[in-house]
Amino acid sequence: MKQTYGYESFRPGQERLINAILSGKDAMGIMPTGAGKSICFQIPSLTFEGLTLVISPLVSLMLDQVLTLKEYGIRAAFLNSSLTPGQQRTVLGRAAGHAYQIMYVAPERLTSEAFRAFCNNYPIPFIAVDEAHCISQWGHAFRPDYLKIKPFIDSLPKHPVVGAYTATATVRVRQDIVESLGLRNPVIQVNSFDRPNLNFEVQNGDKQKRLIRFLKQHINDSGIVYCGTRKDVESLCEDLSQYGFSATRYHAGLPDKERTDNQNDFLFDRKKIMVATNAFGMGIDKSNVSFVVHYNMPKNIESYYQEAGRAGRDGSPADCLLLYSGQDVRLNEFLIKNSLEENTELSDEEREFRIQHELDLLRKMTFYATGNECLRVQILRYFGENSTPCGHCGNCRMSYETVDVSKEVRGILTAVRNLQNKRRSFGRLTLRDFFKGRKTQALAEKNLISAEGYGALSYLSAERILQILDWMTQNGWLRKTEGDYPVLISDDMAPDFGTSADEPIRARLPKEKETEEAFTVSKSELHQDDGSLFEALRRVRKQIADEQHVPAYVVFSDAVLREIAEVRPDSFEKFRAVKGVGQAKAVKYSGRFIVCIRDHKKRF
Ligand code: ADP
Ligand code: ZN
C-alpha cells in the first residue's frame, strides 16, 4: 500500500478485508461510498499468481478505474462492450501472455464463449464482486446478470477466493449477497456509515432561486445536481447555462455519444456542474466532487445517501443539499405505485407488500426532509447506528427562537374555521398567500381576496407564515388531509383556543436570517487555507492531466494536492513522503511540482 499508493495507514476495515482474501477466505465488505473499498481487492490482486477478475456493473467505472490503476503502475485492463471484437481479442491475448494482474469485466461477459475458454485455461485466483448489492432484488439496483456470477465461479477448474463489496444498508440485502454468491463462511466487515466531511442541509422554498444562490457560493467547485425527471434535467441545465454556469447534462434518454461526451466533460473538469437523473453516477468515482444537490427528493434514504455520498470522496469537506417540496412526495408515491403495478412478474400479494415497503421508505425520507432533528443522526439511524447531533448539518446550525404566536394562531384558526363553515378549505401554500395578502390569480379565482382574514399576517414573511402553519399542524391545531390535494383543516381534535384565550401560545421557530448566513460562512473555508500555491499546483496538475488525457483527479486528488501545498516538499524524498503520493507518481511528477513550489516561494 505504501509503495504503490503512498497511503500512510489503512482506513478502518481495509486491512481485515485484505488479510481475509490473502489467507484464502471469502469476504464481504459493507462500507459507505468513499470509504476505500477499491484497494481492498486491488491490493490482494497484486500479490496473487494469475489474473484477478473484478466484476462491476458499469462500463464507465471500468475505464476510470483502469486509468487510475495504470497511474499507480499497476498492470490493469478492462474487457467490455465498449471495445470492438478485435480489441477484445487483443486484450484476451495479452492476458494469456501474463500482461495483466487485474481485469475489470461486466457480468454479461461471464457467459461469453471466448472469455470462458480463457478462464478455463488461465489461473483465476480471486474474484471481486463490486457493487455486490446488484445481486439482490431487495437492493435498489437489481441486475439479473449478477445471478450469473455464482454458476460462473462454480464452473472454474479451481475455486477462486471470492470477495463482495458494497455500500448497501439493509440486513436483508446483505444476506442475499452471501447466499446468491455462495460465499463460504465469509469474513464480514461492516463499517460505520458516517461520513464526517459531508455537510447535510435541507431547504424548501423557491428551488431555482435557492439552487442558484448555492451554486454562486460554490463557483470554483465541481458538483452534481440531481433531478427527478429527464424533462427537469433538460430545462434546468438550459437555465443554468443561461445564467452563465458551466453545466452539462446526463440522462438515459440522450444518445450514447452525447452521454459519454458529457460525462467526460464533467470528469475532465471541462464542465463544472453535472445536471442529471439518477442514471448518472453509479461507479463514477471522481474524487473532487464538492457538492451534490438534489433538486427533487429521492424515494428513500438509501438512494439519497448513495447519491449524496458521491461528494467528498477524497475526504475534503463537501456539501449535500436537498431541495424539498411537497410535490416531490406525491410524484414519488405515483412512481412507486406505477412501476410496481406494471410489474407482471409479481403476485398480487408480493406487489402489495412491495408497495407498502416502498411507501414506508418514502415516509422515512419525508421525515428527513421535513423534521428538525440532526440530519446526520437520522441518516445513521436508518443504517442502524446510534449517534449524537453533529453540530454542523443544516438542522444543527439552525437556531431556534421561542416566539409568542398567540395572535397569529388565533387569527389563522378563526379564518380557517370561517372558511370551513362555508365548506371551503385550502392547501398550505394557498393559505400562506392568503394570509400574506398576495394578489395571485389563484386567490382571485377562488374568491379569497375578499374573504375575512385576507392579508391578516401581511407583516410577516411568507416563509414565517409557512413555519407557523407547519408548527400548528405538528401540534394538532390544524390537520392535513390525505390524498393528492391535501388541505389544512381545523377539526374537533384541535385544542380549543376559545376557552384559554388569555394564555399566551408560544412556538419554537427557526431564526431565518441566521441560517442563511451560517450557510455562507461554512463554505468560504474551502479555498482559503492553501491560497495561491494550491491554485498553482492545480494548474500543474491540469497540464499533466491534459498531456496524458486523463482526468485531473487521476493525477492527484484535491486532498493530496492540498497536502502537497501544506508540506511544500522541496526534494524527491520529501515529495515521495507526502500522504497519497506513491512511488510511481513521485518518479513521474515530483520534478514539475517541486519546480512549481520553488517558483511560488520566490515570488511570495
Ligand atoms: P469506495 O469504492 O469505497 O467508494 P474508493 O475505493 O474509491 O471508495 O476510495 C475513495 C478514496 O479514498 C480514493 O480517492 C482512494 O484513493 C482513497 N483511499 C482509499 N484508501 C485509502 C487509505 N488507506 N488512505 C488514504 N486514502 C485512501
Ligand atoms: Zn446535525
Side-chain angles (χ1 to χ4, degrees):
M1 181 179 70
K2 257 194 190 153
Q3 174 75 23
T4 305
Y5 295 88
Y7 300 147
E8 280 309 301
S9 54
F10 287 107
R11 289 198 184 146
Q14 288 181 329
E15 194 170 12
R16 180 159 175 257
L17 285 167
I18 291 171
N19 282 338
I21 298 297
L22 289 180
S23 61
K25 291 202 191 92
D26 287 352
M28 177 165 74
I30 313 276
M31 295 176 167
T33 311
K37 285 184 284 296
S38 316
I39 72 163
C40 298
F41 51 82
Q42 289 167 358
I43 287 181
S45 77
L46 304 181
T47 73
F48 284 132
E49 292 272 326
L51 181 68
T52 290
L53 296 180
V54 179
I55 298 171
S56 149
L58 274 198
V59 172
S60 59
L61 168 85
M62 296 178 198
L63 175 60
D64 202 55
Q65 295 247 23
V66 167
L67 284 176
T68 309
L69 288 172
K70 283 189 173 162
E71 274 299 302
Y72 285 119
I74 296 168
R75 291 178 287 119
F78 64 87
L79 190 57
N80 63 36
S81 52
S82 76
L83 302 176
T84 62
Q87 290 171 320
Q88 295 181 16
R89 275 194 298 277
T90 309
V91 169
L92 275 183
R94 286 199 193 130
H98 311 286
Y100 309 121
Q101 298 158 291
I102 185 163
M103 181 184 279
Y104 284 75
V105 297
E108 302 83 84
R109 181 69 35 188
L110 306 180
T111 44
S112 118
E113 288 284 323
F115 185 70
R116 292 187 81 115
F118 166 79
C119 293
N120 282 327
N121 291 297
Y122 195 86
I124 309 289
F126 173 31
I127 292 186
V129 183
D130 203 5
E131 312 284 359
H133 59 277
C134 289
I135 207 167
S136 172
Q137 306 219 34
W138 290 93
H140 49 91
F142 177 53
R143 299 263 301 215
D145 279 332
Y146 262 60
L147 296 171
K148 295 174 182 162
I149 300 175
K150 184 169 184 296
F152 171 79
I153 292 173
D154 291 339
S155 77
L156 291 174
K158 187 165 182 295
H159 203 292
V161 60
V162 182
Y165 308 87
T166 173
T168 234
T170 60
V171 175
R172 170 109 209 207
V173 175
R174 293 173 194 170
Q175 282 166 352
D176 257 10
I177 293 173
V178 173
E179 278 164 32
S180 311
L181 283 177
L183 299 184
R184 299 154 302 175
N185 194 14
V187 170
I188 297 177
Q189 170 71 31
V190 182
N191 272 23
S192 167
F193 273 65
D194 192 14
R195 299 267 313 271
N197 62 316
L198 299 185
N199 290 308
F200 293 96
E201 163 122 20
V202 179
Q203 293 184 15
N204 49 32
D206 184 328
K207 291 190 179 199
Q208 186 150 354
K209 251 198 216 148
R210 287 180 184 265
L211 176 65
I212 284 167
R213 196 177 56 206
F214 178 90
L215 293 177
K216 280 187 176 161
Q217 291 162 352
H218 291 74
I219 206 77
N220 290 318
D221 300 339
S222 189
I224 307 172
V225 179
Y226 280 112
C227 295
T229 64
R230 296 175 188 183
K231 223 175 83 208
D232 284 348
V233 169
E234 301 275 332
S235 66
L236 188 62
C237 183
E238 172 127 10
D239 288 349
L240 292 182
S241 304
Q242 298 237 316
Y243 281 115
F245 291 103
S246 158
T248 185
R249 59 188 184 165
Y250 188 106
H251 62 69
L254 293 174
D256 283 355
K257 162 114 178 48
E258 188 185 341
R259 266 208 323 254
T260 317
D261 287 351
N262 293 353
Q263 176 171 314
N264 283 334
D265 281 346
F266 180 64
L267 293 180
F268 286 74
D269 293 320
R270 291 188 289 265
K271 288 281 162 68
K272 292 265 180 207
I273 302 169
M274 173 56 91
V275 185
T277 59
N278 62 6
F280 177 78
M282 181 163 171
I284 298 293
D285 53 7
K286 182 175 164 68
S287 65
N288 64 334
V289 175
S290 305
F291 61 84
V292 171
V293 178
H294 279 78
Y295 202 70
N296 299 102
M297 183 181 77
K299 64 184 169 124
N300 57 52
I301 291 184
E302 182 153 9
S303 307
Y304 177 67
Y305 198 51
Q306 182 155 58
E307 286 157 20
R310 293 186 179 124
R313 303 256 294 194
D314 63 356
S316 306
D319 289 323
C320 307
L321 171 66
L322 169 61
L323 296 170
Y324 168 83
S325 79
Q327 194 61 37
D328 295 335
V329 183
R330 289 188 286 285
L331 178 66
N332 277 311
E333 278 172 356
F334 172 79
L335 291 176
I336 288 171
K337 288 183 185 152
N338 216 39
S339 74
L340 285 165
E341 269 154 18
E342 275 171 12
N343 188 335
T344 49
E345 283 166 22
L346 299 173
S347 71
D348 286 353
E349 211 172 308
E350 280 170 337
R351 183 174 304 120
E352 191 47 34
F353 180 79
R354 285 222 57 152
I355 289 178
Q356 287 314 321
H357 177 65
E358 296 207 10
L359 288 180
D360 196 44
L361 296 180
L362 175 62
R363 259 190 296 279
K364 288 189 175 133
M365 183 74 234
T366 312
F367 275 139
Y368 173 89
T370 54
N372 49 25
E373 193 185 1
C374 169
L375 296 172
R376 185 182 306 272
V377 164
Q378 295 188 61
I379 290 174
L380 293 177
R381 185 184 306 128
Y382 178 84
F383 289 95
E385 292 176 43
N386 288 321
S387 58
T388 49
C390 71
H392 57 94
C393 71
N395 284 356
C396 284
R397 284 204 313 269
M398 168 105 67
S399 44
Y400 286 84
E401 53 188 346
T402 303
V403 273
D404 187 330
V405 288
S406 316
K407 185 171 130 216
E408 289 78 10
V409 167
R410 292 191 176 107
I412 289 172
L413 279 181
T414 308
V416 168
R417 285 180 179 176
N418 279 341
L419 288 167
Q420 228 165 278
N421 288 339
K422 297 182 188 128
R423 306 204 164 278
R424 310 187 69 202
S425 51
F426 301 94
R428 177 174 172 269
L429 297 183
T430 306
L431 287 177
R432 172 198 63 189
D433 293 347
F434 172 74
F435 288 117
K436 178 72 189 167
R438 283 182 173 162
K439 289 196 174 55
T440 68
Q441 177 108 24
L443 290 186
E445 278 167 10
K446 290 173 177 142
N447 252 334
L448 278 173
I449 292 187
S450 55
E452 197 183 325
Y454 174 80
L457 305 180
S458 58
Y459 57 93
L460 294 176
S461 72
E463 180 81 25
R464 187 55 131 197
I465 297 175
L466 271 188
Q467 288 166 356
I468 295 177
L469 287 170
D470 290 347
W471 179 86
M472 290 174 69
T473 311
Q474 278 156 20
N475 288 279
W477 300 91
L478 293 173
R479 187 166 67 79
K480 194 176 197 165
T481 58
E482 308 271 322
D484 287 346
Y485 301 100
V487 293
L488 296 181
I489 57 170
S490 162
D491 56 22
D492 297 341
M493 301 297 285
D496 191 354
F497 67 96
T499 52
S500 54
D502 303 328
E503 255 176 62
I505 304 167
R506 291 183 205 282
R508 247 169 84 69
L509 301 177
K511 282 189 189 169
E512 268 175 278
K513 271 276 162 44
E514 282 197 17
T515 48
E516 315 243 309
E517 272 156 21
F519 192 61
T520 324
V521 177
S522 97
K523 270 321 291 174
S524 55
E525 313 158 345
L526 243 178
H527 279 280
Q528 257 172 18
D529 44 8
D530 329 279
S532 48
L533 176 56
F534 181 67
E535 292 305 323
L537 293 171
R538 256 157 96 115
R539 281 193 294 275
V540 175
R541 178 179 70 176
K542 178 92 175 79
Q543 274 171 6
I544 296 176
D546 287 349
E547 287 162 19
Q548 316 220 350
H549 307 289
V550 296
Y553 64 88
V554 168
V555 177
F556 284 125
S557 71
D558 280 1
V560 173
L561 219 58
R562 230 165 263 145
E563 191 78 19
I564 297 175
E566 182 144 339
V567 177
R568 298 169 183 253
D570 54 6
S571 68
F572 174 82
E573 282 70 32
K574 287 186 192 155
F575 192 85
R576 170 71 184 82
V578 171
K579 238 166 78 186
V581 179
Q583 180 71 16
K585 289 190 182 184
V587 169
K588 271 192 279 186
Y589 306 136
S590 57
R592 292 170 75 167
F593 282 102
I594 290 171
V595 168
C596 167
I597 293 166
R598 285 189 191 147
D599 278 359
H600 186 79
K601 215 179 197 167
K602 269 187 231 142
R603 260 182 291 135
F604 297 95

